[in-house]
């Protein structure tokens, strides 16, 4: 056993950069290469694939990447671990073997299953007619497959971090109660899971990156105690800094306790240190027993939807919008009709596009017809009968089905976490011997930071020295805010204290007016100089069903950074 496990990532979602697998294999030494292809929305997409062809249900781009790179991985002794199996890990494992035979290769391929609970969904009270129901499995199944000699391990719905936890358990021999080490691996897995988001991708401080080409994919040098260094291959794009790593750490988390199937990780214990250029150390992570229940991703078919966008130009835009709504709304039969907010152009604009705004109407219904001709017909018929300058951004669309995501929790006894080795041998992974509770700390404890003092302040954008990263978790939006490390060091602590005082549920409702009636949780990660916010229900019934302009809340953080707040002059 070596002292350090070098583990990289080559995919953050289904559709990520095809060349990344080869880039990572050729870029430098690795022991394990992981690929994360799954998200709540991806499970819905794969579920719809299986409706057309039951032999599908896995990420087909992974197969194409292996066709190009499997020989190289075997030659270099790099083991590949991926959740690309989605709803059909057994089918993907067999497809990998077929590809290997076609290439004249003979890798040992294993898969992990047991997450699919469609057969018992009604019995456990989750859903009577779900499209997908998948429990989030831990890393010990992956570890068993690797200990069994697998060169390639494909899984169904494991947690994203399990792709790192599994290889670490196999390499270092951690026991299920090695909570601090396991928690460290979870943190590393969370940093790596979204690929180049840890090396400068989607980073609010992008202007500080050394160059603006494609950022490289990250890798970790993981040690036996769970500490690690996050880095990237020499010569690859982007950067690895405390801020780029923090950006990923605060992405799509819920509370200070990060509940996983193998361990509960205390996110407020994470400590980061810039050890050298493109090398950030992670240490101090603490963990405790995992929850007694497993989280389950549930997708159900919600019905059909369709949208049309109208262009409003020039003067009297509000009156034009009112007339259009008055004409069209009474003629629509869909169960739900949603109009987008209206943003008015300002000033004497020198281009027609600049003098225009878009008004979008979205319809949803359990049946397709109210979203088809019954929707597009009345809209198109207004072309010569409505506001001056009537035009649309595109032809009438056909209705598309949408899904509704929800989270559920089940006792572990309902889940049979199983490894299927290359020789067909089936190995059931034992449940943890110790478990905690499912209670989640949403940060509702009183803030230890008093309200800001009445000192001389100026109005300035929150993003003057605060970074942000945001995203979705079902119907909730997550917003991470943290103080930049590229400012004067002597001001950093004062800025962190100011941010902790400023960001309260009340302030979030002020910054995000559409969240005025929502439940909002705010919690602090002081070691990261960060505040994380959960806006519950902002995305309605989840990404696939949301009618918001930004249905995944990916740009929410950048909007909030642009909002003006009172900042003490001494902090600027």
């Amino acid at each position: 056993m070596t002292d350090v496990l070098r583990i990289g990532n080559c995919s953050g979602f289904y559709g990520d950069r095809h060349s990344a697998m080869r880039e990572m294999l050729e870029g430098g030494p690795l022991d394990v290469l992981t690929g994360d292809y799954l998200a709540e929305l991806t499970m819905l997409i794969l579920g719809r694939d299986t409706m057309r062809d039951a032999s599908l249900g896995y990420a087909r781009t992974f197969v194409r990447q292996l066709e190009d790179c499997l020989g190289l991985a075997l030659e270099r002794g790099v083991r590949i671990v991926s959740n690309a199996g989605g709803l059909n890990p057994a089918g993907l494992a067999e497809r990998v073997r077929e590809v290997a035979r076609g290439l004249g290769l003979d890798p040992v391929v294993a898969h992990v299953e047991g997450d699919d609970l469609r057969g018992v969904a009604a019995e456990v009270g989750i859903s009577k007619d779900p499209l997908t129901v998948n429990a989030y499995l831990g890393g010990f199944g992956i570890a068993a497959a690797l200990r069994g000699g697998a060169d390639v391990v494909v899984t169904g719905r494991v947690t994203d971090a399990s792709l790192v936890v599994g290889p670490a358990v196999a390499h270092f021999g951690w026991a299920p109660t090695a909570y601090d080490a396991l928690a460290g691996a979870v943190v590393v897995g969370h940093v790596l899971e979204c690929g180049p988001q840890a090396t400068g991708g989607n980073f609010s401080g992008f202007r500080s990156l050394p160059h603006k080409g494609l950022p490289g994919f990250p890798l970790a040098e993981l040690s036996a105690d769970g500490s690690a260094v996050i880095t990237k291959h020499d010569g690859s794009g982007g950067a690895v800094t405390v801020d780029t790593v923090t950006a990923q750490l605060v992405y799509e988390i819920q509370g200070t306790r990060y509940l996983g199937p193998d361990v509960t990780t205390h996110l407020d214990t994470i400590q980061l240190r810039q050890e050298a250029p493109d090398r950030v150390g992670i240490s101090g992570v603490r963990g405790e027993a995992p929850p007694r229940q497993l989280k389950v991703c549930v997708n159900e078919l919600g019905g059909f939807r369709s949208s049309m966008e109208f262009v409003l130009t020039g003067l009297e835009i509000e009156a034009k919008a009112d007339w259009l709504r008055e004409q069209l709304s009474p003629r629509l039969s869909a169960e739900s009709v949603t109009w987008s907010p209206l943003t008015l152009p300002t000033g004497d604009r020198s281009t027609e596009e600049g003098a225009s705004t878009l008004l979008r109407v979205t319809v949803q219904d359990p049946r397709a017809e109210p979203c088809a001709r019954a929707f597009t017909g009345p809209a198109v018929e207004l072309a010569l009968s409505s506001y001056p300058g009537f035009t649309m951004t595109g032809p009438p669309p056909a209705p598309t089905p949408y899904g509704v995501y929800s989270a559920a929790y089940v006792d572990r006894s309902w889940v049979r976490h199983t490894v299927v080795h290359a020789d067909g041998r089936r190995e059931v992974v034992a449940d943890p011997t110790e478990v905690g509770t499912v209670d989640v700390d949403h940060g509702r404890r009183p803030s230890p930071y008093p309200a800001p003092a009445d000192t001389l302040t100026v109005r300035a954008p929150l993003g003057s020295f605060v970074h942000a990263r945001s995203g979705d978790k079902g119907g909730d939006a997550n917003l991470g805010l943290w103080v930049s490390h590229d400012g004067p060091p002597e001001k950093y602590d004062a800025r962190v204290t100011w941010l902790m005082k400023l960001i309260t549920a009340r302030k979030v409702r002020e910054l995000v007016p559409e969240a005025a009636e929502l439940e909002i949780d705010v919690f602090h990660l002081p070691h990261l100089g960060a505040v994380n916010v959960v806006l519950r229900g902002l995305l309605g019934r989840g990404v696939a069903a949301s009618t918001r302009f930004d249905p995944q809340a990916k740009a929410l953080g950048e909007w909030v950074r642009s909002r003006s707040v009172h900042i003490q002059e001494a902090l600027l």
Side-chain angles (χ1 to χ4, degrees), residues 180-330:
D180 289 349
L182 289 168
V186 165
V187 169
V188 170
H190 183 49
V191 172
L192 297 187
E193 68 186 49
C194 288
Q197 280 199 166
T199 61
N202 298 346
F203 174 46
S204 59
F206 69 97
R207 293 177 63 187
S208 67
L209 298 176
H211 55 84
K212 303 302 189 296
L214 287 174
F217 278 67
L219 64 93
E221 298 170 358
L222 185 60
S223 298
D225 63 354
S227 63
V229 172
I230 304 298
T231 184
K232 62 185 184 68
H233 285 321
D234 291 342
S236 61
V240 179
T241 69
V242 169
D243 282 328
T244 67
V245 172
T246 300
Q248 181 56 29
L249 284 174
V250 300
Y251 181 61
E252 294 184 350
I253 58 176
Q254 295 285 307
T256 55
R257 293 193 301 158
Y258 195 62
L259 299 174
D262 297 319
V263 64
T264 297
T265 302
H266 292 261
L267 297 178
D268 52 0
T269 63
I270 301 171
Q271 298 184 47
L272 303 180
R273 184 168 68 93
Q274 191 79 46
E275 297 190 351
D278 292 326
R279 293 181 63 82
V280 172
I282 299 178
S283 62
V285 184
R286 303 297 300 273
E288 64 179 46
R292 61 182 177 84
Q293 292 184 312
L294 293 177
K295 185 178 179 180
V296 179
C297 170
V298 183
N299 278 299
E300 299 172 281
L301 292 177
F304 295 84
R305 65 183 293 167
S306 187
S307 295
M308 299 185 76
E309 285 187 324
F310 302 88
V311 182
L312 309 174
T313 304
L315 303 176
E316 302 175 301
I317 281 181
E318 290 176 298
K320 293 171 181 175
D322 289 342
W323 191 18
L324 175 64
R325 286 189 289 255
E326 290 170 6
Q327 290 178 313
L328 185 57
S329 293

Side-chain angles (χ1 to χ4, degrees), residues 132-164:
T132 71
V133 184
N134 295 83
Y136 290 82
L137 303 182
F140 279 84
I142 295 170
L146 293 171
R147 286 196 300 264
D151 300 305
V152 179
V153 182
V154 295
T155 77
R157 179 71 274 194
V158 299
T159 70
D160 301 340
S162 294
L163 301 176
V164 168

Side-chain angles (χ1 to χ4, degrees), residues 432-465:
T433 55
E434 300 177 4
V435 294
T437 70
V438 295
D439 295 331
V440 182
D441 173 12
H442 287 315
R444 292 191 177 94
R445 294 168 299 179
S447 170
Y449 299 92
D454 291 329
T455 59
L456 185 61
T457 64
V458 296
R459 296 283 290 181
L462 177 62
S464 298
F465 53 79

Side-chain angles (χ1 to χ4, degrees), residues 106-178:
D106 187 25
V108 178
V109 182
H111 74 271
V112 178
E113 62 185 29
D115 59 297
D116 192 340
L117 301 183
R118 281 175 290 184
V120 299
E123 190 174 354
V124 298
I126 291 178
S127 174
K128 292 183 179 180
D129 188 26
L131 179 61
T132 71
V133 184
N134 295 83
Y136 290 82
L137 303 182
F140 279 84
I142 295 170
L146 293 171
R147 286 196 300 264
D151 300 305
V152 179
V153 182
V154 295
T155 77
R157 179 71 274 194
V158 299
T159 70
D160 301 340
S162 294
L163 301 176
V164 168
V165 173
V169 169
H171 185 78
F172 296 116
W174 293 336
T177 54

